[in-house]
Amino acid sequence: MTRPGWNAGDRRWRLTALLAVGAVVLALVATLVGTRSEGPGTAGTTRDGDAVHGTPAPAREPRPYVGWGFTHTQYSADQGPAAATARVARILGRGGGLPQNQHIMGWGADNPEPVEGHYDFGALDRRIDFVRASGGTPVITLCCSPDWMKGGRAGAGGTDWSRTALETPPTPGHYQDFADLAATVARRYPDVRHFIVWNEFKGFWNDAAARWDYEGYTRMYNLVYRALKKVDEDIMVGGPYLVMDSVDPRDPNASTALRGPWGAMDQRVLDAFGYWNAHKAGADFAVVDGASYTRDDELLPDEFAATRKFTAVGQWVRRQTHGLPLWWAEYYVEPGDGDGERTGWSEPHRVAVQATGMIAMAEGGAGSGFYWNPQKRTGDCAGCLWTPTGAAGGGRTLPMYGLLSRFAGAFPPGTRYTTVSVAPDDVPNVRVLATRRTVLVVNTLARTISARIDGKRFDLRAYEVRWLDR
């Protein structure tokens, strides 16, 4: 007996439909099972991350300082037409090369370990190759960390490159994984003898306590320190790479112990440095960074006098660490605009304030410092060391390179500075740094002046930076 609403034709159609749906479900299940079994993508990765890459530079006696150099950022001279990149390599190689710092992830380097145990060092290899070709001393900053170490997803090609993600540190459960990655990097590049642990305490802020999570950073630092020393006891390791923020002296977090005409240090930064210094497993050098201006972009009393902050901070750090070699991983003298661009000053003005800042760092006891090179792919490049290498005619030196290279050659680590006579009326207008062979003079005014320095009177153009032989 046939029930109402059900006939043979309907029955065949429904049976076919059910069979089709079943097939789709089975296919979907098979796909999901297959996806789970394959795991995150590993295309383009290798398992031998610690295999020595290329031809390492000849071994040098490791010392806890490297001198004055620069940090590679997103765009640098490792890419572009061969004529342009080779031109920069030749320029940098003159006089023995400059120290060059590179991060392991970000700022031109890809995710080094997108899946646990699977490595992608292609971009980092290329940067290290460039440092070697240009005769530089390589320095590696161990930042940032793969996504799977900080709660993100693993997988080649799926890295979250947002600023928030990039600046998130490993979770505590992955501190050892990050230390293992650091050891892998050290084995891959045995000619890299200097490592900086992390960058600016990124992600190590304790919201609940409104202070830095210096306990978490120090725990990770110690694991990395021990892992690197296990690879080679002679590897040099430093931290904590804190931003030495200064504030208005009336700020509630202003330090009462470290202040000057340039403002006052944020006491929370000093507390973080003090904890790391007291609880570190060891350190071959101390690393800080910072700007001459306050956190609110105030240049107190002015852009030249504000640089004396570098001297005060350097002297304080040296006292706390009982004389550890001091590095400035980054240093800034020109506030950025809303987009972080520093293009408001003329190049002579920029170079003059930069020279004054470097003098201040040297007077504070620093023997190493890295200029954060704001290189671009193409176009004008305010404050850059060379013209962009995106075209064959690029890679030509700019005024900032002239200052950096000359400073590095004249004032290497261990330099003994001497006094130089400056006429009393000229003292407010110039800054000087001298050895028994060289004098660096900076005119801090936007007009030509006549000054008597080291027994000689001469004119200095507006914002002129001049080198004198003694």
Side-chain angles (χ1 to χ4, degrees):
M1 181 177 180
T2 303
R3 290 174 295 178
W6 179 269
N7 59 40
D10 290 338
R11 187 177 181 182
R12 285 193 300 271
W13 181 86
R14 294 184 182 186
L15 179 60
T16 301
L18 288 171
L19 290 173
V21 170
V24 170
V25 171
L26 289 173
L28 180 59
V29 170
T31 300
L32 292 173
V33 171
T35 301
R36 283 198 300 269
S37 64
E38 291 175 4
T42 58
T45 65
T46 65
R47 299 282 286 178
D48 59 345
D50 57 358
V52 174
H53 167 71
T55 304
R60 301 178 182 178
E61 180 184 356
R63 296 179 178 179
Y65 44 73
V66 292
W68 304 91
F70 66 94
T71 293
H72 290 280
T73 51
Q74 182 176 1
Y75 303 113
S76 197
D78 59 312
Q79 290 184 293
T85 59
R87 185 176 294 115
V88 177
R90 288 194 302 271
I91 291 167
L92 291 174
R94 295 170 188 165
L98 286 176
Q100 300 172 43
N101 176 35
Q102 173 62 47
H103 292 64
I104 62 169
M105 179 176 172
W107 298 284
D110 294 331
N111 187 337
E113 192 180 3
V115 178
E116 185 173 5
H118 294 263
Y119 303 94
D120 179 5
F121 285 118
L124 188 55
D125 287 347
R126 188 175 63 245
R127 284 280 166 95
I128 295 298
D129 286 342
F130 180 82
V131 177
R132 291 170 176 170
S134 59
T137 300
V139 175
I140 283 182
T141 293
L142 296 165
C143 182
C144 294
S145 66
D147 291 14
W148 61 270
M149 293 187 190
K150 52 196 178 189
R153 298 177 61 184
T159 299
D160 183 351
W161 289 106
S162 67
R163 180 173 178 175
T164 299
L166 186 64
E167 296 185 355
T168 298
T171 58
H174 286 294
Y175 287 169
Q176 185 60 57
D177 292 318
F178 186 72
D180 294 341
L181 174 58
T184 297
V185 171
R187 286 190 290 267
R188 186 173 186 83
Y189 311 114
D191 49 338
V192 178
R193 314 296 286 165
H194 301 86
F195 290 84
I196 301 173
V197 182
W198 207 243
N199 172 302
E200 295 185 333
F201 261 49
K202 282 182 167 60
F204 285 97
W205 178 257
N206 185 326
D207 284 318
R211 65 166 177 82
W212 291 106
D213 176 19
Y214 38 74
E215 299 95 340
Y217 169 82
T218 304
R219 179 184 167 199
M220 186 181 79
Y221 171 91
N222 286 342
L223 290 170
V224 172
Y225 177 89
R226 294 187 179 104
L228 291 172
K229 291 294 186 178
K230 188 174 181 179
V231 172
D232 186 339
E233 186 64 31
D234 289 335
I235 285 176
M236 299 287 168
V237 187
Y241 201 156
L242 268 165
V243 182
M244 305 304 282
D245 272 339
S246 53
V247 297
D248 186 290
R250 295 165 295 183
D251 189 285
N253 294 303
S255 169
T256 58
L258 185 51
R259 56 174 55 205
W262 43 266
M265 282 299 301
D266 187 324
Q267 184 60 45
R268 296 170 298 182
V269 174
L270 303 185
D271 292 343
F273 189 94
Y275 183 91
W276 169 83
N277 191 41
H279 296 86
K280 64 184 182 299
D284 298 293
F285 51 90
V287 187
V288 296
D289 92 341
S292 56
Y293 43 88
T294 69
R295 193 162 52 228
D296 295 325
D297 290 345
E298 291 186 283
L299 289 160
L300 304 173
D302 58 65
E303 70 270 37
F304 288 96
T307 64
R308 295 190 184 278
K309 169 187 170 180
F310 294 137
T311 301
V313 169
Q315 292 172 341
W316 181 87
V317 170
R318 296 270 288 169
R319 289 195 299 271
Q320 305 308 305
T321 62
H322 303 291
L324 271 181
L326 172 61
W327 294 26
W328 284 87
E330 301 174 42
Y331 49 92
Y332 301 95
V333 297
E334 179 181 3
D337 59 20
D339 297 321
E341 297 290 330
R342 294 174 172 85
T343 58
W345 293 349
S346 68
E347 203 66 12
H349 187 185
R350 181 176 295 111
V351 171
V353 185
Q354 177 75 13
T356 303
M358 296 177 76
I359 290 172
M361 285 186 284
E363 291 177 336
S368 302
F370 292 89
Y371 179 69
W372 189 271
N373 190 20
Q375 207 64 44
K376 294 184 176 181
R377 187 194 298 272
T378 58
D380 294 335
C381 204
C384 292
L385 299 178
W386 55 80
T387 57
T389 56
R396 301 183 187 280
T397 59
L398 293 170
M400 195 65 75
Y401 177 80
L403 169 65
L404 178 60
S405 59
R406 188 73 182 268
F407 196 98
F411 308 123
T415 293
R416 292 188 177 184
Y417 298 100
T418 61
T419 57
V420 59
S421 64
V422 179
D425 290 345
D426 298 323
V427 170
N429 304 329
V430 299
R431 292 296 305 277
V432 298
L433 185 66
T435 68
R436 63 182 181 84
R437 301 178 61 181
T438 304
V439 180
L440 169 60
V441 184
V442 182
N443 176 10
T444 66
L445 300 179
R447 59 176 175 81
T448 298
I449 63 172
S450 176
R452 185 174 184 83
I453 298 170
D454 208 21
K456 302 175 183 178
R457 179 164 292 280
F458 49 86
D459 289 343
L460 289 166
R461 298 185 307 275
Y463 297 134
E464 183 177 355
V465 175
R466 183 177 296 191
W467 296 86
L468 307 175
D469 294 325
R470 304 183 83 176

